[in-house]
Each structure stands twice: as structure tokens, then as C-alpha cells.
Amino acid sequence: MNLRALRIPVLSTASLCAFALVGALFGVSSPAQADDDACTAKSFKLKEVEKVCKDGGRKAAKKMMQAAVKKAKEAGEKMNCKSCHNDIKEKFDLKANAVKDLKPWI
Ligand code: HEC
């Protein structure tokens, strides 16, 4: 009778520890989530953009885009953010040509 009463608190302490451990692990493994300037896309067409977004969020993605636009302009192309994005403030939703046109410049 007594034995059984003892076993329950021991078990629940152990599972609390397990939860704390899982929480700590997740906290460490996803620091980018804390950044509210993360990219909105959940799936990417281009690996290069995905990597930049995951590492540095939108700020890094914009930098990369600016570099791509610069390269294209130097090669004589007419290009700006709106050549590929309908919206360049919030969603950055893409035009149909966007992926194909960006590829050569990244
Ligand atoms: C030649 C086409 C092209 C041009 C020009 C371009 N982009 Fe992009 N951009 C893309 C594509 C394609 C993606 C998404 C890539 C993917 O899905 O893998 C993207 C993604 C982004 C993202 C990430 C969106 C998100 O939050 O998920 C940002 C921010 C962005 N572009 C900003 C810019 C800015 C700022 C400019 C102008 C300096 C620009 N882009 C010019 C094609 C372009």
C-alpha cells in the first residue's frame, strides 16, 4: 500500500525532467524562429534562397536579391524587384517568371 504511493511521485518527477530536456533542446535548435523578420515562404524553389532565408531571414534574402539584380543589370538586363515580385513590402509573392529568371543570377 505504502509502496504504491511512493512510486507515483518518483515517476512524475522523471517525466517532468524529460519535458524540461525536450524544451531545452527545441529552444536551442530554432533560434531563427525568434526573429520576426523571417522569410514567409515555407517551401522554396531555389536551394540558394532557402539557405539564405534560413540563415539570415529576409534581411539576408534581400541582400541576395539586390546582388542578383546588380549582376543582371551589369549584364545589360532590365530588372528590378518588381520584375519578379508583385509585392515588395510584405508577402513578396512571385510572378510566374520569377524562379526561371532568378536562377542565372544567383
Ligand atoms: C529575377 C527574379 C527576381 C528578382 C529581380 C527579385 N527576386 Fe526576390 N525572389 C525571387 C524568387 C524566385 C524568390 C523565391 C525563391 C524560392 O522560392 O526558392 C524570391 C524571394 C524573395 C524574398 C523572400 C520572400 C519570403 O519571405 O519568403 C525576398 C525578401 C525577396 N525575394 C526580396 C527581393 C528584393 C528586395 C528584390 C529587389 C532588390 C528582389 N527580391 C528581386 C525572384 C526575384
Side-chain angles (χ1 to χ4, degrees):
M1 178 84 175
N2 257 347
L3 202 67
R4 200 170 167 189
L6 268 177
R7 200 178 284 160
I8 293 164
V10 169
L11 264 181
S12 61
T13 309
S15 53
L16 266 182
C17 282
F19 278 127
L21 191 69
V22 169
L25 280 176
F26 275 112
V28 170
S29 68
S30 57
Q33 301 301 308
D35 185 357
D36 53 6
D37 202 25
C39 290
T40 38
K42 295 290 171 257
S43 67
F44 292 86
K45 314 271 188 323
L46 298 166
K47 280 227 153 49
E48 293 87 345
V49 181
E50 179 171 24
K51 187 175 183 317
V52 168
C53 271
K54 288 204 166 139
D55 291 350
R58 262 204 182 147
K59 222 170 150 189
K62 283 183 189 171
K63 247 186 166 171
M64 178 195 197
M65 297 285 153
Q66 277 156 4
V69 170
K70 191 165 171 259
K71 250 200 236 176
K73 278 188 174 162
E74 280 168 5
E77 296 265 342
K78 271 195 188 156
M79 193 187 271
N80 60 42
C81 308
K82 291 220 157 173
S83 310
C84 301
H85 295 282
N86 287 316
D87 162 69
I88 53 167
K89 284 213 167 73
E90 285 179 30
K91 285 186 273 175
F92 290 93
D93 46 342
L94 300 173
K95 296 186 177 173
N97 60 294
V99 175
K100 184 170 69 65
D101 286 357
L102 184 65
K103 247 183 183 167
W105 310 111
I106 52 177

